Amino acid sequence: MGHARTTSAGSQGRTTCPWDWEQRSAAGGPSADGLAVRVRKGIFGVGPRTVVVPYFAEPNGLLDAALAGGGPAPRSLVFLRAAAQKGAKARAILAPAFRDVPGADVVLVERHEDKQAYEETLRTYVDTMRRMRNATFCLVPAGYTSSSRRFYESLAAGCVPVILSRHFPLPFGPSSGARRPAPWGDAVLRYAAHKVKELPAFLRALGGARVAAMRRAGAAALARVSYGNEAGEGATAALFDQLTHLVAPTTSQRLLPRDWPAAGSY
């Protein structure tokens, strides 16, 4: 996920991207080391001039083909399969909290992907996606940063994301300038990481009608953050809208051409 932020220098605004911090530190600005610490903690000041770029998640059509050859995954109330070494402190409390919870499929694993064969990595990913599709809720803890591709994969799987970080920024909200903002509303749940012991009971108490409404809202939000939206109202269009709003807030012209190629045509 990318963040572009604007800081003021006198009366002028300046767009600052993470890769620019080292150059600024040489001129007396914030240091690259300071940014690295904030990245590890997942702390970004998301303000009105911040552009949040969604992760890319594989289209469901490709996943359908990959999942066709395997057997069905068990149904679960809540799912998480994550590397234990990422965001170790935040993740370490998750597995114990769900250890004896019926229907919980929450496992932390020690991964060394630099040493893992491609075939094993692929099998692990396909199994994760299959289990995610059969879960009601998908936990989204912080990793090296607060944002996570797992959030977008959860939406694509029809699983309700449960965000366990107060710093996780959601893209294309009402103030972003996107012509059709993402309707986050009921699409996601946020839960305080330090109260995770109470989370199983909270999830079990949610009624079927509420869960169904969250899944519908998630599908609508996914359409706004997907790069393969055939209606031309997905992430690419929203990014152009937001950039237009930032650099020329009074214009009604859209930077993205209306005849932008539809999904699958490029």
Side-chain angles (χ1 to χ4, degrees), residues 88-193:
K89 183 177 180 180
R91 295 183 177 191
I93 60 176
L94 289 175
F98 284 92
R99 182 168 293 141
D100 298 319
V101 175
D105 185 3
V106 177
V107 177
L108 298 181
V109 297
E110 292 291 341
R111 274 189 197 151
H112 303 283
E113 295 184 359
D114 55 329
K115 300 179 181 179
Q116 192 175 43
Y118 169 77
E119 292 78 10
E120 180 61 26
T121 300
L122 181 60
R123 282 195 295 270
T124 300
Y125 173 75
V126 171
D127 180 66
T128 297
M129 293 300 101
R130 181 177 286 113
R131 291 172 181 271
M132 191 174 281
R133 285 188 172 191
N134 279 352
T136 303
F137 302 99
C138 290
L139 303 181
V140 184
Y144 291 135
T145 67
S146 61
S147 61
S148 171
R149 172 174 164 166
R150 180 178 290 104
F151 170 73
Y152 299 92
E153 291 173 339
S154 299
L155 288 175
C159 184
V160 179
V162 183
I163 299 175
L164 299 171
S165 170
R166 61 190 179 92
H167 298 297
F168 195 117
L170 297 176
F172 314 141
S175 62
S176 66
R179 299 195 181 207
R180 298 187 66 189
W184 293 117
D186 289 333
V188 301
L189 288 173
R190 285 189 184 268
Y191 203 87

Side-chain angles (χ1 to χ4, degrees), residues 189-223:
L189 288 173
R190 285 189 184 268
Y191 203 87
H194 67 279
K195 295 183 178 180
V196 71
K197 291 182 179 180
E198 304 167 18
L199 181 56
F202 174 80
L203 295 178
R204 286 198 304 267
L206 293 174
R210 173 80 187 279
V211 172
M214 287 189 288
R215 281 178 156 161
R216 289 193 298 270
L222 176 66

Side-chain angles (χ1 to χ4, degrees), residues 37-49:
V37 172
R38 291 172 65 82
V39 168
R40 285 196 299 271
K41 291 183 177 180
I43 300 173
F44 280 94
V46 179
R49 298 187 66 82

Side-chain angles (χ1 to χ4, degrees), residues 3 8-9 15 27 31 40 51 56 75-77 79 86 102 105 111 125 128 155 171 197 221 232 238-239 252 260:
H3 302 262
S8 296
T15 300
S31 68
R40 285 196 299 271
V51 177
F56 174 82
R75 295 292 305 174
S76 63
L77 169 70
F79 172 78
K86 294 183 179 180
D105 185 3
R111 274 189 197 151
Y125 173 75
T128 297
L155 288 175
K197 291 182 179 180
L239 284 170
S252 60
W260 185 261

